[in-house]
């Protein structure tokens, strides 16, 4: 491995030394942790991680390399990647591997930090909440680095969603059910889940107005995942509010939060969010517990839902937060978790089937 000495500096001054991979010397972002044991390739390319430095709690990362077909977007969307042990270039011999994780990181101009105690970092974040951080090769001015770390929590204008959304509409599949997918930073696996169920999917940019969406004559609308604070997307909230009641709508992750805001509810930032493939949720209609894949830092405020007409359909078993909404009369449903998984368990993929059934 070709590495250089590097550091992660948190906004409170906590510093972790390791080895940097990449051809840039510094980056900053919101430091979050992910508890998935596998799926690092999908985490790296998930647009929902825009603006973030992701710390993997599982100690060994990279042991099956990279397969381009498994990636969720055209390239890395996060700011930095922190791991305990990176599988050696000649140590990952998966039969589908096209390149090692290290090779992919270098090719993609992605900055990573290797050889640090990622669980110690996680304990700090769990105790004190999400923090800004800096990956750097130079510690000579710690106060300046701490200031840069704090400023990394300030989102760019006009927000992360417009950085990662598609610039034009695109068509996928040739099924007999036409669905528009509002792309707030969609994962490829959401599109694949819909086309596999006989849908013709039309993805549109996040700021597409309602009138333009209806010109496609869709039979249903899907609101994708995406990065950042949902309240920074007033254009999307207005569009969704206009379309509520006009066609079936399914929201996923950020799409779930935006649907709730369009219905008049509120959202708030969690202390450290939910990111990983092992989050238990309870279906309130059946009482069944599902293990889900999640990646979000915000949640819907349950007490604000009373006037919306929607009811809570799922709750998180760890902290009781809202994990899903349903409004049968308006054919609206949304989930905070990822039913398409990737990475994570596929327990809740049936929710796509439920949505397709609601599409006329």
């Amino acid at each position: 491995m070709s590495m250089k000495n590097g550091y992660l500096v948190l906004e409170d001054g906590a510093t972790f030394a390791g080895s940097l991979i990449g051809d840039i010397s510094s980056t900053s972002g919101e430091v979050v942790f992910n508890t998935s044991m596998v799926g690092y390739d999908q985490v790296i390319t998930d647009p929902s991680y825009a603006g973030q430095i992701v710390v993997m709690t599982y100690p060994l990362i990279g042991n099956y390399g990279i397969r381009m077909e498994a990636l969720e977007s055209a390239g890395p969307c996060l700011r930095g990647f922190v791991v305990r042990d990176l599988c050696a270039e000649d140590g990952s011999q998966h039969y589908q591997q096209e390149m090692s994780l290290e090779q992919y990181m270098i090719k993609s101009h992605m900055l990573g930090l290797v050889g640090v105690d990622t669980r110690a970092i996680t304990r700090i974040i769990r105790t004190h909440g999400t923090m800004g951080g800096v990956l750097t090769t130079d510690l000579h001015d710690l106060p300046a680095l701490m200031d840069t770390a704090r400023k990394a929590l300030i989102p760019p204008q006009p927000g992360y969603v417009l950085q990662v959304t598609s610039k034009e509409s695109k068509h996928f599949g040739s099924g007999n059910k036409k669905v528009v997918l509002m792309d707030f930073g969609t994962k490829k696996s959401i599109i694949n889940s819909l086309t596999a169920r006989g849908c013709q999917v039309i993805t549109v940019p996040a700021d597409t107005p309602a009138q333009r969406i209806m010109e496609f004559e869709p039979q249903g609308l899907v609101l994708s995942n995406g990065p950042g604070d949902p309240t920074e997307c007033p254009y999307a909230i207005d569009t969704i509010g206009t379309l509520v009641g006009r066609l079936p709508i399914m929201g996923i992750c950020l799409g779930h939060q935006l649907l709730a805001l369009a219905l008049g509810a509120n959202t708030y930032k969690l202390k450290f969010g939910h990111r990983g493939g092992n989050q238990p949720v309870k279906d309130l209609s059946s009482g069944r517990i599902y293990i889900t894949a999640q990646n979000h830092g915000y949640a819907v405020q349950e007490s604000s839902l009373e006037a919306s007409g929607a009811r809570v359909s799922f709750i998180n078993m760890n902290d009781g937060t809202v994990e899903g909404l349903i409004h049968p009369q308006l054919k609206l449903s949304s989930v905070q978790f990822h039913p398409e998984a990737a990475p994570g368990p596929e327990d809740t993929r049936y929710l796509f089937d439920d949505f397709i059934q609601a599409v006329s």
Side-chain angles (χ1 to χ4, degrees), residues 321-345:
T321 52
V322 175
E323 289 281 358
L325 300 174
I326 190 168
H327 196 308
Q329 292 78 19
L330 296 178
K331 293 187 176 182
L332 308 178
S333 64
S334 64
V335 287
Q336 184 61 81
F337 49 88
H338 285 263
E340 79 285 353

Side-chain angles (χ1 to χ4, degrees), residues 4-23:
K4 52 199 171 188
N5 292 334
Y7 310 90
L8 169 65
V9 179
L10 300 180
E11 62 179 79
D12 67 351
T15 302
F16 297 83
S19 300
L20 278 183
I21 299 176
D23 57 6

Side-chain angles (χ1 to χ4, degrees), residues 161-187:
V161 166
L162 292 180
Q163 285 189 349
V164 299
T165 187
S166 54
K167 305 306 179 187
E168 58 186 8
S169 62
K170 301 177 183 178
H171 293 246
F172 301 87
S174 56
N176 57 8
K177 294 196 175 184
K178 188 186 292 184
V179 173
V180 166
L181 171 64
M182 291 189 74
D183 175 13
F184 304 118
T186 190
K187 294 164 60 184

Side-chain angles (χ1 to χ4, degrees), residues 10-92:
L10 300 180
E11 62 179 79
D12 67 351
T15 302
F16 297 83
S19 300
L20 278 183
I21 299 176
D23 57 6
I24 56 177
S25 60
S26 180
T27 188
S28 62
E30 180 185 28
V31 181
V32 300
F33 64 87
N34 185 298
T35 59
S36 296
M37 295 176 65
V38 295
Y40 54 81
D41 43 357
Q42 294 154 325
V43 169
I44 288 170
T45 53
D46 181 348
S48 295
Y49 285 109
Q52 296 178 330
I53 296 172
V54 179
V55 178
M56 300 299 290
T57 62
Y58 189 69
L60 179 61
I61 300 296
N63 55 346
Y64 54 88
I66 292 290
R67 180 172 65 95
M68 304 305 289
E69 181 62 26
L71 305 184
E72 290 294 343
S73 64
C77 298
L78 39 67
R79 293 275 179 84
F81 196 53
V82 181
V83 303
R84 174 64 183 91
D85 294 311
L86 184 69
C87 188
E89 185 173 330
D90 59 354
S92 50

Side-chain angles (χ1 to χ4, degrees), residues 2 14 18 31 44 61 79 90 134 150 152 160 189 208 225 234 249 280 299 302 348 355:
S2 175
V31 181
I44 288 170
I61 300 296
R79 293 275 179 84
D90 59 354
V134 178
R150 283 189 289 268
Y160 286 114
S189 53
T208 303
N225 63 293
I249 299 178
E302 184 173 2
T348 56
F355 171 69

Side-chain angles (χ1 to χ4, degrees), residues 227-240:
D229 184 344
T231 61
E232 294 171 356
C233 305
Y235 48 88
I237 297 168
D238 289 345
T239 294
I240 296 165

Side-chain angles (χ1 to χ4, degrees), residues 190 222-225 249-260 281-283 290 292-296 298 300 311-315 322-326 332-341 348-352 354:
I190 293 178
V222 177
L223 313 173
S224 86
N225 63 293
I249 299 178
M250 178 185 188
I252 298 173
C253 199
L254 180 67
H256 155 79
Q257 298 162 13
L258 292 171
L259 179 60
V281 303
K282 182 177 182 178
D283 182 342
Y290 295 94
T292 66
Q294 301 198 17
N295 170 20
H296 64 105
Y298 292 80
V300 174
R311 63 176 173 82
V312 177
S313 54
F314 292 90
I315 60 168
V322 175
E323 289 281 358
L325 300 174
I326 190 168
L332 308 178
S333 64
S334 64
V335 287
Q336 184 61 81
F337 49 88
H338 285 263
E340 79 285 353
T348 56
R349 283 194 172 183
Y350 73 89
L351 292 171
F352 285 108
D354 292 349

